[in-house]
Short mmCIF file of all heavy atoms in Angstrom, two decimals:
data_model
loop_
_atom_site.label_atom_id
_atom_site.label_comp_id
_atom_site.label_asym_id
_atom_site.label_seq_id
_atom_site.Cartn_x
_atom_site.Cartn_y
_atom_site.Cartn_z
N ASN C 1 0.84 -1.22 -0.02
CA ASN C 1 0.00 0.04 0.02
C ASN C 1 0.88 1.27 -0.01
O ASN C 1 0.51 2.23 -0.66
CB ASN C 1 -0.94 -0.01 1.19
CG ASN C 1 -2.06 -0.99 1.08
OD1 ASN C 1 -2.38 -1.39 -0.04
ND2 ASN C 1 -2.64 -1.42 2.18
N THR C 2 2.00 1.20 0.71
CA THR C 2 2.90 2.36 0.75
C THR C 2 3.45 2.59 -0.66
O THR C 2 3.58 3.76 -1.09
CB THR C 2 4.05 2.14 1.75
OG1 THR C 2 3.48 1.98 3.05
CG2 THR C 2 5.00 3.32 1.74
N PHE C 3 3.79 1.54 -1.35
CA PHE C 3 4.29 1.60 -2.71
C PHE C 3 3.25 2.25 -3.64
O PHE C 3 3.52 3.19 -4.39
CB PHE C 3 4.64 0.17 -3.19
CG PHE C 3 5.13 0.05 -4.58
CD1 PHE C 3 5.90 1.06 -5.14
CD2 PHE C 3 4.87 -1.09 -5.33
CE1 PHE C 3 6.39 0.91 -6.49
CE2 PHE C 3 5.28 -1.24 -6.63
CZ PHE C 3 6.09 -0.26 -7.18
N LYS C 4 1.99 1.78 -3.53
CA LYS C 4 0.93 2.29 -4.38
C LYS C 4 0.66 3.75 -4.05
O LYS C 4 0.38 4.59 -4.93
CB LYS C 4 -0.31 1.47 -4.25
CG LYS C 4 -0.14 0.05 -4.82
CD LYS C 4 -1.23 -0.89 -4.31
CE LYS C 4 -2.59 -0.50 -4.78
NZ LYS C 4 -3.62 -1.50 -4.36
N GLU C 5 0.71 4.10 -2.76
CA GLU C 5 0.44 5.48 -2.35
C GLU C 5 1.44 6.50 -2.91
O GLU C 5 1.13 7.70 -3.04
CB GLU C 5 0.35 5.56 -0.86
CG GLU C 5 -0.89 4.95 -0.28
CD GLU C 5 -0.81 4.74 1.27
OE1 GLU C 5 0.20 5.17 1.81
OE2 GLU C 5 -1.73 4.07 1.82
N SER C 6 2.64 6.02 -3.21
CA SER C 6 3.67 6.92 -3.74
C SER C 6 3.30 7.43 -5.10
O SER C 6 3.87 8.43 -5.55
CB SER C 6 5.04 6.19 -3.79
OG SER C 6 4.99 5.20 -4.75
N TYR C 7 2.32 6.77 -5.77
CA TYR C 7 1.86 7.25 -7.08
C TYR C 7 0.43 7.86 -7.04
O TYR C 7 -0.08 8.28 -8.04
CB TYR C 7 1.86 6.11 -8.09
CG TYR C 7 3.24 5.68 -8.51
CD1 TYR C 7 3.86 4.57 -7.91
CD2 TYR C 7 3.88 6.35 -9.50
CE1 TYR C 7 5.13 4.18 -8.31
CE2 TYR C 7 5.16 5.99 -9.89
CZ TYR C 7 5.77 4.90 -9.31
OH TYR C 7 7.04 4.47 -9.73
N ALA C 8 -0.15 7.95 -5.84
CA ALA C 8 -1.53 8.39 -5.75
C ALA C 8 -1.71 9.79 -6.25
O ALA C 8 -2.72 10.11 -6.97
CB ALA C 8 -1.97 8.28 -4.24
N SER C 9 -0.78 10.69 -5.94
CA SER C 9 -0.96 12.08 -6.35
C SER C 9 -0.84 12.27 -7.91
O SER C 9 -1.50 13.07 -8.47
CB SER C 9 0.10 12.96 -5.68
OG SER C 9 1.41 12.55 -6.04
N ILE C 10 -0.01 11.40 -8.53
CA ILE C 10 0.16 11.48 -9.93
C ILE C 10 -1.13 11.10 -10.64
O ILE C 10 -1.62 11.78 -11.59
CB ILE C 10 1.32 10.60 -10.42
CG1 ILE C 10 2.61 11.14 -9.86
CG2 ILE C 10 1.36 10.51 -11.97
CD1 ILE C 10 3.85 10.30 -10.18
N PHE C 11 -1.72 9.98 -10.22
CA PHE C 11 -2.93 9.53 -10.91
C PHE C 11 -4.21 10.11 -10.36
O PHE C 11 -5.26 9.95 -10.95
CB PHE C 11 -2.94 8.00 -10.90
CG PHE C 11 -1.99 7.34 -11.89
CD1 PHE C 11 -0.69 7.08 -11.46
CD2 PHE C 11 -2.36 7.13 -13.19
CE1 PHE C 11 0.21 6.52 -12.35
CE2 PHE C 11 -1.42 6.59 -14.07
CZ PHE C 11 -0.15 6.26 -13.67
N GLY C 12 -4.07 10.80 -9.23
CA GLY C 12 -5.21 11.49 -8.67
C GLY C 12 -5.44 12.86 -9.18
O GLY C 12 -6.50 13.40 -9.09
N GLY C 13 -4.35 13.44 -9.79
CA GLY C 13 -4.50 14.77 -10.30
C GLY C 13 -3.36 15.28 -11.15
O GLY C 13 -3.25 16.40 -11.50
N GLY C 14 -2.38 14.32 -11.40
CA GLY C 14 -1.20 14.74 -12.15
C GLY C 14 -1.53 14.98 -13.64
O GLY C 14 -2.58 14.62 -14.12
N ASN C 15 -0.55 15.55 -14.34
CA ASN C 15 -0.78 15.83 -15.78
C ASN C 15 -0.46 14.61 -16.58
O ASN C 15 0.04 13.59 -16.06
CB ASN C 15 0.03 17.06 -16.23
CG ASN C 15 1.50 16.89 -16.01
OD1 ASN C 15 2.11 15.82 -16.28
ND2 ASN C 15 2.21 17.90 -15.56
N THR C 16 -0.75 14.62 -17.89
CA THR C 16 -0.60 13.51 -18.76
C THR C 16 0.88 13.11 -18.81
O THR C 16 1.17 11.89 -18.73
CB THR C 16 -1.04 13.89 -20.17
OG1 THR C 16 -2.49 14.09 -20.12
CG2 THR C 16 -0.77 12.71 -21.13
N GLN C 17 1.83 14.04 -18.89
CA GLN C 17 3.23 13.64 -18.99
C GLN C 17 3.71 13.00 -17.74
O GLN C 17 4.48 12.00 -17.81
CB GLN C 17 4.07 14.91 -19.28
CG GLN C 17 5.32 14.60 -20.07
CD GLN C 17 5.04 13.91 -21.42
OE1 GLN C 17 4.16 14.30 -22.14
NE2 GLN C 17 5.80 12.87 -21.66
N ASP C 18 3.25 13.41 -16.56
CA ASP C 18 3.64 12.76 -15.30
C ASP C 18 3.18 11.29 -15.27
O ASP C 18 3.86 10.40 -14.83
CB ASP C 18 3.08 13.50 -14.11
CG ASP C 18 3.76 14.84 -13.88
OD1 ASP C 18 4.90 15.01 -14.36
OD2 ASP C 18 3.23 15.69 -13.18
N LYS C 19 1.93 11.11 -15.77
CA LYS C 19 1.41 9.71 -15.82
C LYS C 19 2.19 8.84 -16.77
O LYS C 19 2.50 7.69 -16.45
CB LYS C 19 -0.09 9.77 -16.17
CG LYS C 19 -0.91 10.47 -15.18
CD LYS C 19 -2.38 10.59 -15.66
CE LYS C 19 -3.19 11.35 -14.58
NZ LYS C 19 -4.58 11.62 -15.05
N LEU C 20 2.51 9.39 -17.96
CA LEU C 20 3.23 8.60 -18.92
C LEU C 20 4.62 8.31 -18.42
O LEU C 20 5.19 7.20 -18.65
CB LEU C 20 3.37 9.37 -20.26
CG LEU C 20 2.07 9.46 -21.08
CD1 LEU C 20 2.25 10.36 -22.30
CD2 LEU C 20 1.50 8.12 -21.48
N GLU C 21 5.24 9.26 -17.66
CA GLU C 21 6.55 8.99 -17.12
C GLU C 21 6.50 7.87 -16.04
O GLU C 21 7.31 6.99 -16.03
CB GLU C 21 7.11 10.24 -16.48
CG GLU C 21 8.47 10.04 -15.88
CD GLU C 21 9.13 11.36 -15.42
OE1 GLU C 21 8.40 12.38 -15.35
OE2 GLU C 21 10.36 11.36 -15.14
N ALA C 22 5.46 7.90 -15.22
CA ALA C 22 5.34 6.92 -14.16
C ALA C 22 5.16 5.51 -14.80
O ALA C 22 5.75 4.51 -14.37
CB ALA C 22 4.14 7.22 -13.23
N ILE C 23 4.33 5.44 -15.83
CA ILE C 23 4.09 4.16 -16.53
C ILE C 23 5.40 3.68 -17.25
O ILE C 23 5.75 2.54 -17.10
CB ILE C 23 2.95 4.31 -17.52
CG1 ILE C 23 1.61 4.63 -16.82
CG2 ILE C 23 2.81 3.10 -18.40
CD1 ILE C 23 0.51 5.12 -17.69
N GLY C 24 6.02 4.61 -17.90
CA GLY C 24 7.25 4.23 -18.60
C GLY C 24 8.34 3.72 -17.66
O GLY C 24 9.04 2.72 -17.91
N GLU C 25 8.42 4.35 -16.47
CA GLU C 25 9.42 3.91 -15.46
C GLU C 25 9.04 2.52 -14.97
O GLU C 25 9.93 1.73 -14.73
CB GLU C 25 9.47 4.90 -14.33
CG GLU C 25 10.15 6.24 -14.74
CD GLU C 25 10.14 7.25 -13.62
OE1 GLU C 25 9.33 7.11 -12.67
OE2 GLU C 25 10.85 8.22 -13.75
N GLN C 26 7.74 2.27 -14.70
CA GLN C 26 7.35 0.94 -14.21
C GLN C 26 7.51 -0.18 -15.24
O GLN C 26 7.85 -1.32 -14.92
CB GLN C 26 5.97 1.02 -13.69
CG GLN C 26 5.85 1.68 -12.27
CD GLN C 26 6.73 0.96 -11.25
OE1 GLN C 26 6.78 -0.24 -11.19
NE2 GLN C 26 7.44 1.76 -10.42
N LEU C 27 7.28 0.17 -16.48
CA LEU C 27 7.52 -0.80 -17.54
C LEU C 27 9.01 -1.22 -17.57
O LEU C 27 9.35 -2.35 -17.63
CB LEU C 27 7.12 -0.27 -18.93
CG LEU C 27 5.61 -0.29 -19.21
CD1 LEU C 27 5.30 0.57 -20.46
CD2 LEU C 27 5.12 -1.69 -19.50
N TRP C 28 9.82 -0.22 -17.42
CA TRP C 28 11.31 -0.39 -17.47
C TRP C 28 11.66 -1.29 -16.29
O TRP C 28 12.48 -2.25 -16.44
CB TRP C 28 11.96 0.98 -17.41
CG TRP C 28 13.45 1.04 -17.34
CD1 TRP C 28 14.31 0.82 -18.40
CD2 TRP C 28 14.27 1.34 -16.23
NE1 TRP C 28 15.60 0.99 -17.99
CE2 TRP C 28 15.61 1.36 -16.61
CE3 TRP C 28 13.94 1.67 -14.87
CZ2 TRP C 28 16.63 1.62 -15.75
CZ3 TRP C 28 15.02 1.94 -14.01
CH2 TRP C 28 16.35 1.91 -14.45
N LEU C 29 11.19 -1.01 -15.13
CA LEU C 29 11.53 -1.83 -13.92
C LEU C 29 10.97 -3.25 -14.08
O LEU C 29 11.59 -4.21 -13.67
CB LEU C 29 10.94 -1.18 -12.68
CG LEU C 29 11.66 0.09 -12.18
CD1 LEU C 29 10.87 0.71 -11.03
CD2 LEU C 29 13.05 -0.21 -11.71
N ASN C 30 9.80 -3.35 -14.66
CA ASN C 30 9.16 -4.66 -14.91
C ASN C 30 10.02 -5.58 -15.73
O ASN C 30 9.94 -6.81 -15.58
CB ASN C 30 7.79 -4.51 -15.50
CG ASN C 30 7.07 -5.78 -15.60
OD1 ASN C 30 6.72 -6.40 -14.56
ND2 ASN C 30 6.73 -6.28 -16.82
#
């Protein structure tokens, strides 16, 4: 839950680029 909460602000109100960056980083880590 702590891990998921670290992204809550991005997907709760962040801009498109912030969301794409978060997704791209997680794909890379995956």
Side-chain angles (χ1 to χ4, degrees):
N1 288 337
T2 300
F3 179 34
K4 292 164 65 177
E5 286 167 6
S6 67
Y7 287 98
S9 61
I10 294 176
F11 285 90
N15 60 42
T16 296
Q17 209 57 45
D18 288 341
K19 293 174 183 176
L20 290 176
E21 181 172 11
I23 295 166
E25 288 175 345
Q26 283 302 317
L27 281 167
W28 179 76
L29 287 171
N30 186 64

